[in-house]
């Protein structure tokens, strides 16, 4: 494996690891702080707030009795509430009762107690009042949802800061060049065409064209085009090609075969107020792209090898942190300050995108994730009682299998991409 890796990859490995740890730790902190802050708001006692898993390398206790930890394995984190038996929020024996009921039998696979009269037996009213498991279903749902919501808020704040700080450079949606033997050439596109809409959706910037076709390989797409004062409708089918992303990694995308008119380059500046709307829109764009990719993946229109995991994230983190120091990315020799600013902007932009992705992943209706909790809570709200312990236990185990299988699959993709230089 080492022989298959380039010298450049080995050289940036320490930077990639350090950047990945910083990236993931910040995102996990905000996710868990979402759970933590809403739990505190509703009077739930929090025993532990941990960034990372395993043996703590630093710990301290705040005035509310919460132990804050930084643990040795920086691959996630957790908040442990009063009444939890472990980091997965399985209820403790005190919450479950004296062991005579069905709940105790299945405590290893359920996180939702109170299915029989023994639940909470032996706990004082004061303890129940601060116990997560005995809060109303709406409160528990709010605490669970707060984690992914915190990820979305973090992303919006980062995008807001970048837009306010740097503004937005963009090209007008005007065609500068049409590549020979491309989908665009076949459809009849010509230099000077202004794209007005794609499949009825208004187009304002050239990047809107790219976004529409990159996840449209093999689909017939209708383009409304202005040419010489007339409006035309051109139909094209983007072709899947292997190309390189901004970091030089190999990716497979749909391609129309057009380039922007360089004369249409513009820069838009924003103040702190009017940067809010485009920042929120960018979060929405990442979510829409994610939904669209998953939908096409399910229908067999995208290659599952494009899915990445922690190793690929670490690679991108290192590349983004070093991006500004590649002088080939500049028209003129940059100053050190400019290089550092560019790297910082790329790194925190990546953090925003990853934060959206982690928030989305946690909302999937898989029992071990936040979305699975919310699914069970929705059942409890409608039915007036929790789902049965056996069903909970089955769902929990199925969720673990699904999550473990996904992690193995994306890790294999990551290793394969590193070996082939993708």
């Amino acid at each position: 494996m080492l022989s298959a890796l380039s010298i450049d990859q080995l050289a940036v490995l320490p930077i990639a690891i350090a950047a990945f740890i910083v990236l993931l730790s910040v995102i996990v902190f905000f996710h868990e702080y979402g759970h933590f802050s809403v739990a505190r708001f509703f009077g739930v006692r929090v025993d532990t707030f941990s960034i990372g898993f395993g043996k703590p390398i630093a710990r301290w206790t705040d005035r509310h009795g919460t132990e804050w930890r930084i643990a040795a394995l920086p691959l996630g984190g957790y908040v442990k509430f009063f009444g939890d038996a472990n980091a997965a929020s399985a209820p403790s024996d005190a919450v479950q009762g004296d062991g005579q009921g069905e709940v105790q039998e299945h405590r290893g696979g359920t996180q939702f107690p109170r299915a029989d009269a023994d639940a909470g037996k032996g706990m004082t009213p004061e303890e129940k009042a601060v116990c997560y498991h005995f809060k109303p279903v709406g409160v528990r749902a709010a605490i669970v949802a707060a984690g992914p919501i915190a990820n979305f808020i973090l992303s919006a704040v980062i995008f807001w800061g970048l837009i306010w700080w740097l503004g937005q450079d963009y090209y007008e949606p005007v065609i500068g060049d049409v590549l020979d033997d491309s989908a665009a050439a076949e459809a009849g596109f010509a230099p000077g065409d202004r794209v007005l809409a794609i499949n009825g959706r208004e187009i304002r910037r050239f990047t809107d064209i790219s976004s529409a076709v990159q996840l449209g390989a093999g689909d017939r797409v209708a383009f409304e085009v202005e040419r010489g004062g007339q409006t035309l409708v051109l139909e094209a089918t983007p072709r899947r090609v292997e190309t390189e992303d901004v970091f030089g990694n190999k990716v497979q995308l749909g391609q129309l075969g057009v380039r922007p008119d360089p004369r249409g380059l513009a820069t838009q500046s924003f103040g702190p107020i009017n940067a809010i709307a485009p920042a929120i829109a960018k979060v929405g764009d990442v979510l829409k792209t994610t939904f669209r990719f998953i939908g096409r993946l399910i229908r067999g229109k995208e290659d599952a090898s494009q899915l990445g995991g922690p190793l690929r994230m670490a690679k991108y983190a290192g590349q983004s942190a070093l991006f500004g120091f590649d002088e080939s990315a500049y028209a003129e020799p940059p100053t050190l300050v400019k290089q550092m600013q560019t790297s910082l902007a790329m790194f925190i932009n990546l953090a925003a995108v990853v934060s959206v992705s982690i928030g989305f992943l946690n909302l999937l209706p898989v029992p071990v994730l936040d979305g699975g909790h919310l699914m069970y809570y929705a059942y409890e709200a409608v039915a007036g009682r929790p789902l049965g312990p056996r069903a909970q236990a089955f769902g929990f185990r199925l969720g673990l299998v699904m999550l473990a299988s996904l992690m193995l699959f994306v890790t294999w993709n990551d290793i394969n991409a590193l070996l082939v230089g993708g």
Side-chain angles (χ1 to χ4, degrees), residues 259-343:
R259 296 192 183 101
D261 186 338
R263 294 170 298 180
L265 179 62
T267 299
Q268 184 176 3
S269 299
F270 293 85
I273 302 301
N274 58 11
I276 295 174
I280 295 174
K282 283 184 71 70
V283 174
D285 288 341
V286 176
L287 284 173
K288 284 187 287 187
T289 300
T290 303
F291 274 113
R292 189 177 177 195
F293 175 79
I294 291 176
R296 288 177 55 85
L297 188 65
I298 293 172
R299 298 195 305 272
K301 292 188 174 184
E302 293 294 336
D303 188 350
S305 67
Q306 298 288 87
L307 290 172
L311 293 179
R312 195 171 304 186
M313 190 191 305
K315 180 182 179 181
Y316 285 169
Q319 291 174 325
S320 66
L322 291 172
F323 182 80
F325 296 93
D326 180 5
E327 294 194 6
S328 66
Y330 303 91
E332 299 178 358
T335 65
L336 177 60
V337 172
K338 177 64 175 179
Q339 291 175 313
M340 294 176 66
Q341 287 178 338
T342 302
S343 289

Side-chain angles (χ1 to χ4, degrees), residues 133 381 396:
H133 298 281
F396 182 79

Side-chain angles (χ1 to χ4, degrees), residues 168-192:
Q168 288 185 313
D169 293 334
Y170 66 94
Y171 286 96
E172 296 286 343
V174 177
I175 307 301
D177 293 311
V178 178
L179 303 184
D180 294 336
D181 192 29
S182 64
E186 184 179 289
F189 279 87

Side-chain angles (χ1 to χ4, degrees), residues 29-219:
F29 172 83
F30 276 91
H31 179 95
E32 298 302 334
Y33 193 79
H35 294 310
F36 170 84
S37 59
V38 175
R40 278 269 181 90
F41 177 81
F42 284 111
V44 175
R45 186 193 303 174
V46 182
D47 290 339
T48 307
F49 187 115
S50 179
I51 299 299
F53 297 101
K55 185 177 180 180
I57 57 177
R59 64 173 73 185
W60 62 95
T61 302
D62 66 20
R63 61 187 180 87
H64 297 285
T66 300
E67 182 180 83
W68 296 72
R69 297 178 181 176
I70 299 175
L73 189 61
L75 294 178
Y78 63 90
V79 173
K80 183 174 177 289
F81 302 120
F82 174 71
D84 290 350
N86 51 41
S89 285
S92 65
D93 288 344
V95 172
Q96 291 286 23
D98 62 7
Q100 300 302 311
E102 185 183 21
V103 173
Q104 184 72 8
E105 178 186 352
H106 297 281
R107 70 176 180 268
T110 177
Q111 301 174 6
F112 313 97
R114 304 191 302 152
D116 63 19
D118 287 330
K121 190 174 182 180
M123 295 181 70
T124 66
E126 291 77 16
E127 288 174 329
K128 283 188 176 182
V130 296
C131 180
Y132 168 80
H133 298 281
F134 292 97
K135 290 294 183 179
V137 64
V139 170
R140 283 177 279 139
I143 293 171
V144 168
I149 290 173
N151 285 130
F152 300 146
I153 292 174
L154 171 63
S155 299
V157 170
I158 291 175
F159 287 139
W160 170 79
L162 287 173
I163 292 170
W164 180 21
W165 174 30
L166 300 174
Q168 288 185 313
D169 293 334
Y170 66 94
Y171 286 96
E172 296 286 343
V174 177
I175 307 301
D177 293 311
V178 178
L179 303 184
D180 294 336
D181 192 29
S182 64
E186 184 179 289
F189 279 87
D193 287 349
R194 174 179 286 270
V195 179
L196 304 176
I198 298 179
N199 287 339
R201 182 181 177 185
E202 182 183 5
I203 298 299
R204 297 182 178 180
R205 300 181 178 188
F206 196 87
T207 52
D208 296 338
I209 303 173
S210 302
S211 299
V213 303
Q214 286 176 353
L215 288 177
D219 292 344

